[in-house]
Amino acid sequence: MANSNLPRRIIKETQRLLSEPAPGISASPSEDNMRYFNVMILGPTQSPYEGTFVQLLIGGVFKLELFLPEEYPMAAPKVRFLTKIYHPNIDKLGRICLDILKDKWSPALQIRTVLLSIQALLSAPNPDDPLSENIAKHWKTNEAEAVETAKEWTRLYASGA
Amino acid sequence: MGTKLTEELISTVRSIVGFDFSDMDIIRALHLAKNNPTAAINIIFDAPNFISKQKSPTPKTPNPNPKSKPNPVPDKQPNLVVKDNGNRILSQNLEVNCIENDARDCTIDDSERVLSSVGSEWWHVGSGVVAGLSTCKGRRVKAGKEVNFTFPLKSKISNSPSPGKGFGRGRQTVVACSEIVRFSTKDSGELGRIPNEWARCLLPLVRDGKVRIMGRCKSAPDVLGIMDTIELSISVYLNSAMFRKHHQNSLKAAANSTEETIVHPLPNLFRLLGLTPFKKAEFTPADLNTRKRPLNSKDGCGLLASLLNVSKSENQSGNGNEVENEESISDANLENIVGVGDSSELEEMDPPSTLQCDLRPYQKQALHWMIQLEKGKCMDEAATTTLHPCWEAYHLADKRELVVYLNVFSGDATIEFPSTLQMARGGCLDQIMLLKILADAMGLGKTIMTISLLLTHSGKGGSSNSQSGSQPCTGGGSSDNSDQLPNQLTKSTKSSGFDKLKQKKMLVNGGNLIICPVTLLGQWKAELETHAQPGSLSIYVHYGQSRVKDANFLAHSNVVITTYGVLASDFSAENAEGNAGLYSVHWFRVVLDEAHTIKSSKSQISVAAAALVADRRWCLTGTPIQNNVEDIYSLLRFLKVEPWESWAWWNKLVQKPCEEGDERGLKLVQSILKPIMLRRTKSSRDREGRPILVLPTADVQVIYCQLTEAEKDFYEALFKRSKVKFDQFVEQGRVLHNYASILELLLRLRQCCDHPFLVMSRGDAQEYSDLNKLAKRFLKGGQNVLEGEGTDVPSRAYIQEVVEELSKGEQGECPICLEAFEDAVLTACAHRLCRECLLASWRNASSGLCPVCRKTITRQELITAPTDSRFQIDVEKNWVESSKIAALLQELEKLRLSGSKSILFSQWTGFLDLLQIPLSRRNIPFVRLDGTLNQQQRERVIKQFSEDDSILVLLMSLKAGGVGINLTAASNAFVMDPWWNPAVEEQAVMRIHRIGQTKRVMIRRFIVKGTVEERMEAVQARKQRMISGALSDQEVRTARIEELKMLADSQIEPAVYRKMILDRWDVEGPPPNQWKRVRKRKPPPPLQHSNGAYLALSTSTLSGSATQYYRVGVFDNCSQKWRNLVDCLTLKTKKSSEVQTKKLAVVQNVNYGALGLDLISIELVVSEEVLESREKAKPQLWKMRTPEEASVHWRQLFGHLDREE
């Protein structure tokens, strides 16, 4: 099985993710493929993706999948939003426009740092480097309205279910 | 008007019709033809009366009567003619006039003068038979009839080529004409021409008045037809005046024109005449004087053949070129090759009282030899009585039994005995010594000998040498230094692009200049100070930034000591500014210590040394050849030994033959060196047959160790890991690009033989062990590096943090592997990573981004992170003795009781670290000397070791302690690991086996069985044999004999055969005649992965910039297998029953940096045949497909480990 040959680094990262998770982030490997992670990110506070507390947290839980390719850590992990999200840098397929996942990848980065970066991206959408043209346009022309839509979507889809 | 025109026309016509026709005939014809040369030629040939008129003794031309005035005769035969008419010979001088002026003006025939001259002036060289070719039809000539020879004009013809003019053949004919020597009789006019072969060598000689010939018809057909053979017997006479006037130089002018082809007229003429040089093996001056030596000619007419003979006999004498450790050759053989002579006959000379130490007898001999050589006297009888190898001696046919010597290379001739020594002097006038003492001859006191020379004979360069007046100089060497000065200056001008200097200024006359490696600077100064009486010599050390460049100051000191580095920098400064230090002085004497430093002739140091202006030049070296005969060229160039300072000569006659395995090349090297080299080994003997130097015996042994089981496992694991990496390179087809990595793999394996811990060590950990230094470097280096980048310098706070972390020894974790650092490095931006992780993250090997901050960094900038220990594990806590250390300790324990001191040499300071552990545990007191110590610290260590009886061991790094140091306090040396070049090891070991050593010396070398070390031993052996081979020629011969045996015996084991071939290959290099350099082709070289032949790593990796022969594997079409080694070098194809071998390809000239690690260049040499066959072969046959095939190449690298995988 693929897991038998898992590099020490991946094992170590996984252990650390599980033992000391980053706030607002959870990542656990799939049972049958240790390179595949189920990820949940809480929408950052003060952002349109924030969940709302009504005794319990409602919404604002985004599911992602993360896959470590064979070359990892020399190549970036592949990450995708599974939860529908209204964000200028994330398209409807959940693909993320983030430099460290592409040309700015460095082997010194880890799963944890990648996920933190994604979390940060939610806090600071960047419509100038869009993946989703329409959303970016919306963001630029009428940010307030766009933020509203984002909040709406968060309520609708990011239930964590 | 027309004189010019007419002349031109005449010569045009003459070029067609030849010299049968007088000028007047031609003028007449031209007149008839209205100055149309074509028509004139037709007239001449068509009108029979032209010829008849010609024939008639009184031509009807308006010429003056030839009987009263001989001018018309030259009209007919413009540049005369020697007649064999008893005593009647025409003067050559006149003939020369003829050429120089105009043919028509010269007056010829002066029988009286000729009569008187024939006796003494002209020496009968010999007679021969020439088969002339008839150019006429219908004429008759009787046997016994004297013939005249007509030599074409030189100047006229070349001046008037008359281009165009309506006949296309004109130019060609002109050229051809210029070489044709025609002969005629008085009665019947032109009869024919002599063969070109003769004409070519006679022409220049006759033209220059050096030779003349007389001839008679020997036999001829009754009636001549075109192309009939007329046999002529001719006698050749040599003008003795040329010897008296200009010595041997006079012929040189003639030779120059043909220099390119190295066909010199005189030797050629001798050969045509059937003269053979007589042998001079048993030749003495007495024989020569009485000239009663029987003509003892044997074979060997050809230039090279005779050369070979000459140098063979040459070898009979000369100084002790003893060859040791060569039991394989019979005594008789040895005598043949090397000769039995030695230097014991040299006289001794007492040093001046200013030398404050006693010289040993052999040192006095050397002093005498040096002094004499500087004076230009032959003190070595052998040198006086031995013919210079470039010269041949001929007996002339003359009754007076004259002997003439010819230089087969330059074509020079002389009647003075050209002894080896004399010619060396005559050629260069610089005094030369190569104290050439092979590896085993170190420690004989070259320094002292040189100092005694300086004290005995010193003066100012360039000034007329006061001592030279009293020198009884012999023969050609009569001119003393000052005479030759301009000459020599010119030479250096030519050779070194030195013109500026000469044009610009007069050089200041200076004293002695000693150039030595920087490590010996202090020693030279110290020895000069201790051994020379105070005040007898003024010494100036020309070194450092603040060195005085003033020429007068430099010239003022008796002795200036400097280093090669300073020399090179002064040289470039000289070229740049036109005025700098060493080059503004005309030195009295230049001494190169450790002269092999300049061995690489293209290096700047070498060029710089050769450009020095000096009267006397000396090279001191124990190892004149380190890698290649080429090493000698550089020395000869510095010494200005003619003609070998010219690369063309050297390459043609020595280098190439040596490379091609031609013995003559080596012979020639020997004979060049013999007169100018004094070489004694420690076993050389004096007059009474006692060794010149009584040193205690040295007991040299190799201790072979076996790896323990655990070590073996480790070694093999390492080996396998290396093999995987290597295979990867092979698979990627990137072997060529990864030589450095491959060598590193090799290095690790070698270290593993010493101790497995070493493999886990880091190389440059020492450098920044001082953390403050490190911090500074970051803060400072950051600024420099970042100037272009514009990014931020790592902040002071951050660096402090890093440094603190380091100083606390906090382990930390590599951001890439998330493990504790393994061989951590620091980037310029002060980030710490495992070396391997960092490098793996880069796309290319030399630079990439910092994974932490994404700044571009290069591999060079990386700093090995300092730790307390260079080892990853706590070696003290986990200490295990390696089998090698165990063996060493055993030896040391044996010696402990006797209290005798030992030196342990290793290449790796890391290993010295490790050695310290067991030494301290066993309470063996030791000191340590390595490259980190400065000069003073070193001296302190050496002093401590020498004087403190309790200290038993000196740990020394091979490189730091190799040269110059005297460590005779120790009597045991242990060489812990083999180095590629045995000379380096020898140098080190000879620190203890030298003058002053009183105890028996024990030398032990450690080799681990079944590892790469064993392999290296073989490389060393080959290299050693190469060194002695170049001097003695023995090895080459042995190898050849063995190889012949191999070839003869088909039962021979393939492995042995393979080894033989490789040995030979390494010693001699590939036979280049069928090899074509294909360097020009773009890299990657033509033989690459997909093409078939594959580069594999050589076993003969040498340090320095050695020429290397990489073996190339090729696919064998016959057996459908990749062939290894032999098989790589030679493609065996079975044709019926015979086995043919073909050499296919070889890589040449692999240069490494100083550490032997960085690959600089590779040159691939491929047989043309391969290139051809490659095209023919089916492509898939040339493809390397499986790892199995790749492993063949691996085997070439680590063949010793192969166990049929």
Side-chain angles (χ1 to χ4, degrees), chain B residues 423-438:
Chain B
M423 282 306 146
R425 267 187 55 80
C428 68
L429 267 297
D430 286 305
Q431 280 67 38
I432 295 144
M433 174 179 81
L434 289 156
L435 250 185
K436 182 179 259 189
I437 308 174
L438 259 187

Side-chain angles (χ1 to χ4, degrees), chain A residues 8-9 12-13 16 73-74 100 103-110, chain B residues 813 815-820 833 837 840-842 850-852 854:
Chain A
R8 275 190 56 82
R9 155 147 175 178
K12 219 163 182 169
E13 272 197 68
R16 289 184 190 176
M74 295 310 160
I100 58 158
D103 53 323
K104 286 284 160 55
W105 170 252
S106 154
L109 297 169
Q110 303 176 19
Chain B
E813 167 184 275
I816 294 185
C817 63
L818 306 184
E819 304 278 332
L833 303 109
C837 293
S841 75
W842 289 354
C850 169
V852 181
R854 299 207 177 82

Side-chain angles (χ1 to χ4, degrees), chain B residues 592-822:
Chain B
L592 297 191
D593 192 19
E594 307 293 342
H596 47 265
T597 311
I598 66 162
K599 69 184 175 180
S600 166
S601 61
K602 285 180 200 100
S603 69
Q604 203 197 9
I605 283 180
S606 178
V607 175
L612 282 168
V613 180
D615 292 344
R616 295 159 183 77
R617 291 155 184 272
W618 294 94
C619 294
L620 310 180
T621 176
T623 45
I625 296 186
Q626 282 208 324
N627 289 318
N628 192 304
V629 269
E630 196 180 334
D631 298 352
I632 291 180
Y633 164 70
S634 200
L635 298 184
L636 293 176
R637 181 176 68 178
F638 164 73
L639 295 170
K640 312 227 177 285
V641 182
E642 277 195 337
W644 309 112
E645 57 178 298
S646 139
W647 172 252
W649 279 112
W650 174 264
N651 190 35
K652 184 152 194 153
L653 293 161
V654 181
Q655 190 74 27
K656 279 246 186 76
C658 283
E659 280 170 5
E660 288 164 23
D662 189 330
E663 292 185 16
R664 288 172 292 199
L666 287 174
K667 298 259 181 224
L668 194 55
V669 176
Q670 294 177 335
S671 52
I672 294 166
L673 291 180
K674 202 132 290 174
I676 58 171
M677 173 175 98
L678 184 60
R679 171 177 173 261
R680 276 96 49 95
T681 61
K682 281 173 186 161
S683 57
S684 293
R685 291 175 186 275
D686 69 4
R687 218 166 305 196
E688 282 87 39
R690 290 180 309 231
I692 53 166
L693 178 64
V694 187
L695 271 184
T697 50
D699 168 23
V700 185
Q701 272 182 35
V702 179
I703 297 179
Y704 291 97
C705 321
Q706 288 286 356
L707 292 177
T708 63
E709 278 305 312
E711 283 171 347
K712 209 172 201 166
D713 285 350
F714 189 89
Y715 184 84
E716 267 162 39
L718 186 68
F719 170 74
K720 282 203 180 109
R721 204 174 85 177
S722 314
K723 182 167 157 49
V724 168
K725 277 193 191 156
F726 184 82
D727 287 346
Q728 277 170 3
F729 294 140
V730 171
E731 261 165 50
Q732 298 159 2
R734 290 179 62 83
V735 175
L736 264 184
H737 306 287
N738 288 294
Y739 270 101
S741 320
I742 293 170
L743 282 169
E744 202 174 321
L745 300 181
L746 207 54
L747 175 98
R748 290 296 181 193
L749 284 174
R750 284 162 57 202
Q751 288 185 329
C752 182
C753 297
D754 271 359
H755 198 295
F757 286 176
L758 263 188
V759 180
M760 298 177 262
S761 73
R762 273 133 344 124
D764 50 351
Q766 290 290 325
E767 197 182 348
Y768 287 103
S769 50
D770 181 354
L771 292 173
N772 292 329
K773 208 164 125 195
L774 182 77
K776 253 183 237 160
R777 133 116 207 195
F778 274 122
L779 293 167
K780 195 178 72 184
Q783 281 154 10
N784 293 343
V785 168
L786 296 169
E787 255 170 51
E789 296 263 322
T791 14
D792 40 358
V793 187
S795 74
R796 190 170 286 269
Y798 174 67
I799 282 164
Q800 261 161 15
E801 191 184 318
V802 170
V803 168
E804 204 167 305
E805 225 173 79
L806 286 170
S807 65
K808 280 192 207 144
E810 271 172 29
Q811 245 309 331
E813 167 184 275
C814 168
I816 294 185
C817 63
L818 306 184
E819 304 278 332
F821 288 109
E822 184 178 325

Side-chain angles (χ1 to χ4, degrees), chain A residues 1-159:
Chain A
M1 194 165 109
N3 298 347
S4 61
N5 233 346
L6 214 58
R8 275 190 56 82
R9 155 147 175 178
I10 296 182
I11 294 169
K12 219 163 182 169
E13 272 197 68
T14 311
Q15 283 168 351
R16 289 184 190 176
L17 279 170
L18 295 173
S19 61
E20 30 187 303
I25 291 173
S26 94
S28 52
S30 148
E31 293 280 310
D32 49 336
N33 188 349
M34 294 286 283
R35 288 177 176 272
Y36 183 88
F37 287 77
N38 294 309
V39 179
M40 283 203 275
I41 295 179
L42 287 188
T45 50
Q46 326 256 298
S47 80
Y49 311 100
E50 181 182 17
T52 39
F53 274 99
V54 185
Q55 284 179 325
L56 277 168
L57 182 72
I58 299 172
V61 181
F62 294 89
K63 285 179 109 181
L64 296 92
E65 61 177 5
L66 181 146
F67 179 71
L68 302 176
E70 187 59 41
E71 302 83 35
Y72 183 84
M74 295 310 160
K78 302 196 182 312
V79 196
R80 187 170 80 93
F81 271 87
L82 297 172
T83 306
K84 223 160 128 58
I85 182 170
Y86 195 76
H87 191 284
N89 304 105
I90 299 162
D91 70 4
K92 58 182 170 195
L93 296 175
R95 292 178 300 191
I96 306 160
C97 177
L98 186 61
D99 57 356
I100 58 158
L101 292 176
K102 305 206 165 64
D103 53 323
K104 286 284 160 55
W105 170 252
S106 154
L109 297 169
Q110 303 176 19
I111 299 172
R112 177 195 303 267
T113 45
V114 166
L115 296 180
L116 283 169
S117 300
I118 291 171
Q119 203 178 30
L121 187 69
L122 298 184
S123 297
N126 179 10
D128 293 326
D129 184 21
L131 191 64
S132 189
E133 287 290 346
N134 292 337
I135 301 173
K137 210 171 161 191
H138 192 191
W139 223 274
K140 277 180 165 170
T141 50
N142 189 348
E143 188 173 335
E145 196 186 301
V147 168
E148 271 320 301
T149 317
K151 280 182 179 167
E152 180 74 20
W153 281 39
T154 305
R155 267 197 306 278
L156 283 174
Y157 306 110
S159 60

